[in-house]
């Protein structure tokens, strides 16, 4: 089956969608609702009769849940619909895909000719997403190298707290697997995803990510968006859900900022430690992973225009130690950083050990030609243990993952992404996004990264290893 995601006007489907904003907790009634949406979609497509089925509508799964809820929240106009085009005798129906996309284009052209709003905002491939977390030691005693203090020494992040830059007044949205609200000082709520409520996930990848963000920005306000675990009836493929989340976040942040209530009126940072591992099911090839016009890549661009910092992990498909989920052709230099992770306006973070040696599972540049070739942007430490922990995996700590998971320690580009995001948030408590644009902060971090493997950008380290002290000195001299 070829999976696609289409963005339509919500108002065109109001007769089919249920009233109320509560997220669904089960799949009861989905079949009847999907049939109604299918009929309305085909009508908008000029009574399209080609093969098509509705796989999911993320709007049904998600609900905003803030700890301090303002007046009635604005309604999102974009409706994201995941659809499937069935195979023909086990072979992907590329003719059916082309016919469907032509119908979308024709529907928009007809509306424009008639002076009406276009019914569709965009269409693109729908792909699997996965957390960027993995380690593959040669021996059991090589899982970790150094501890959290060593990581801080490498990034020279001690100057943040000395300057009072602790993330106070900054909002950090963690778009991952969920985390425990008890592990942060200031919890602001987040999004409900089916039965998964924000701040209620007590183990796993999201906890590892958060503890690395907190390391530099302990006084920030944290929001939980548990994107990775779908409700039981959800379809495979997460681009549709990620797209809905970004649309919802963009609208919500714009609304909250207008209220002029702290911390909502302060800086916002979106943290994403997930990536694309296998492009084999992408149709057409490169549609999301290489095309700036894909709806998710476009909304990322618009979100940065709204003065919001976005941090992504590079991924874990480096040539020497790739994640087992990486596609055979999606490994190594130039073939392992895709889509929003390769977007020119996000900070894409690779991974090094605490002794500055590059980790062989960290995805390598160049990035994608039509997005940004210069990915990753920089690297941050990973594969380290907690201070004072003699064990190789923090076996008795509050952050131990579920049995068999690799989340017992700070590993993969996820850990590096968390450290980088915490540094960005801490800096933001001194330089507001209206004063220092997200593009300019990203440039400052790249320009002042520590060059350990030559003077220029390279495919492993990007512009170098994140150097907090050098960046702060540069920002202070330009203030």
């Amino acid at each position: 089956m070829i999976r696609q995601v289409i963005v339509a006007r919500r108002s065109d489907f109001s007769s089919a969608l249920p009233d109320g904003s509560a997220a669904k907790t089960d799949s009861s009634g989905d079949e009847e609702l999907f049939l109604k949406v299918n009929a309305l979609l085909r009508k908008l497509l000029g009574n399209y009769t080609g093969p098509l089925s509705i796989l999911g509508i993320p709007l049904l799964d998600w609900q905003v849940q803030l700890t301090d809820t303002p007046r009635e929240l604005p309604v999102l106009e974009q409706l994201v619909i995941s659809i499937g085009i069935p195979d023909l005798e086990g072979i992907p129906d590329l003719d059916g895909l082309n016919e469907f996309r032509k119908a979308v284009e024709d529907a928009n052209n007809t509306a424009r000719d008639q002076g009406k709003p276009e019914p569709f905002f965009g269409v693109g491939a729908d792909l699997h997403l996965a957390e960027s977390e993995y380690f593959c030691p040669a021996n059991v005693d090589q899982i970790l190298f150094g501890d959290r203090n060593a990581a801080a020494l490498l990034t020279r992040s001690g100057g943040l707290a000395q300057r009072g830059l602790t993330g106070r007044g900054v909002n950090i949205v963690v778009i991952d697997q969920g985390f425990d609200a008890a592990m942060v000082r200031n919890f602001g709520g987040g999004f409900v995803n089916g039965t998964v409520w924000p701040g209620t996930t007590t183990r796993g990848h999201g906890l590892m990510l958060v503890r690395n963000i907190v390391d530099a920005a302990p006084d920030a306000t944290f929001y939980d968006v548990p994107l990775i675990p779908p409700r039981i009836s959800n379809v495979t493929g997460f681009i549709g859900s990620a797209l809905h989340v970004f649309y919802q976040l963009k609208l919500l942040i714009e609304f909250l900022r207008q209220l002029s209530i702290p911390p909502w009126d302060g800086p916002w940072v979106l943290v994403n430690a997930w990536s694309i591992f296998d492009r084999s099911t992408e149709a057409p090839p490169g549609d999301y992973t290489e095309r700036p016009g894909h709806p998710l890549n476009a909304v990322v661009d618009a979100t940065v225009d709204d003065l919001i910092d976005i941090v992504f992990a590079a991924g874990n498909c480096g040539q020497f130690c790739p994640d087992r989920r990486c596609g055979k052709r999606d490994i190594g230099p130039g073939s392992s950083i895709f889509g929003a992770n390769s977007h020119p306006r996000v900070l894409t973070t690779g991974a090094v050990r605490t002794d500055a040696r590059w980790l062989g599972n960290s995805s390598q540049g160049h990035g994608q030609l039509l997005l940004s070739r210069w990915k990753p942007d920089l690297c941050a430490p990973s594969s380290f243990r907690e201070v004072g922990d003699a064990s190789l995996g923090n076996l008795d700590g509050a952050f131990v993952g579920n049995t068999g998971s690799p989340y017992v320690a700070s590993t993969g580009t996820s850990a590096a992404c968390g450290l980088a995001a915490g540094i960005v948030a801490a800096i933001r408590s001194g330089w507001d996004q209206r004063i220092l644009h997200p593009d300019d902060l990203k440039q400052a971090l790249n320009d002042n990264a520590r060059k350990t493997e030559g003077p220029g950008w390279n495919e492993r380290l990007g512009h170098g290893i994140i150097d907090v002290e050098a960046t702060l000195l540069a920002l202070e001299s330009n203030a």
Side-chain angles (χ1 to χ4, degrees), residues 116-171:
K116 299 178 181 179
E118 297 180 7
F120 301 109
F121 295 105
V123 63
D126 197 5
L127 282 173
H128 292 273
L129 303 179
E131 69 280 1
S132 291
E133 176 57 40
Y134 191 67
F135 59 81
C136 56
N139 299 299
V140 71
D141 61 345
Q142 296 177 350
I143 294 176
L144 305 177
F145 186 95
D147 61 16
R148 184 171 296 281
N149 283 345
L153 286 174
L154 182 63
T155 62
R156 298 209 295 171
S157 59
L160 292 168
Q162 294 171 5
R163 291 171 171 84
L165 302 175
T166 61
R168 185 174 300 279
V170 179
N171 303 279

Side-chain angles (χ1 to χ4, degrees), residues 36-218:
K36 292 179 180 179
V37 170
N38 191 314
L40 290 171
L41 178 59
R42 289 178 180 277
K43 184 176 180 181
L44 288 173
L45 291 171
N47 293 316
Y48 174 74
T49 59
L52 179 156
S53 61
I54 306 298
L55 301 178
I57 303 172
L59 176 72
L60 303 178
D61 303 326
W62 293 90
Q63 175 193 5
V64 176
Q65 190 73 35
L66 302 178
T67 55
D68 184 11
T69 305
R71 63 179 185 269
E72 186 175 351
L73 296 173
V75 175
L76 184 66
E77 171 60 14
Q78 294 91 343
L79 181 68
V80 177
I81 306 172
S82 293
I83 70 164
I85 298 173
D87 296 340
L88 292 176
E89 298 180 354
I91 301 175
D93 184 7
L94 296 180
D95 289 337
L97 172 63
N98 293 332
E99 182 184 355
F100 164 71
R101 290 207 163 193
K102 181 64 165 55
V104 174
E105 182 181 354
D106 290 345
N108 279 344
N109 289 338
T110 299
R112 279 199 305 271
D113 293 342
Q114 296 175 352
K116 299 178 181 179
E118 297 180 7
F120 301 109
F121 295 105
V123 63
D126 197 5
L127 282 173
H128 292 273
L129 303 179
E131 69 280 1
S132 291
E133 176 57 40
Y134 191 67
F135 59 81
C136 56
N139 299 299
V140 71
D141 61 345
Q142 296 177 350
I143 294 176
L144 305 177
F145 186 95
D147 61 16
R148 184 171 296 281
N149 283 345
L153 286 174
L154 182 63
T155 62
R156 298 209 295 171
S157 59
L160 292 168
Q162 294 171 5
R163 291 171 171 84
L165 302 175
T166 61
R168 185 174 300 279
V170 179
N171 303 279
I172 302 176
V173 183
V174 181
I175 307 171
D176 198 76
Q177 283 193 335
F179 63 86
D180 186 352
M183 297 302 158
V184 298
R185 293 177 185 174
N186 304 305
F187 180 65
F191 290 3
V192 180
N193 181 5
T195 59
V196 183
W197 283 67
T200 62
T201 304
T202 58
R203 300 165 82 84
H205 184 263
L207 269 293
M208 183 276 291
L209 182 61
V210 164
R211 76 173 181 260
N212 284 307
I213 301 172
V214 167
D215 196 47

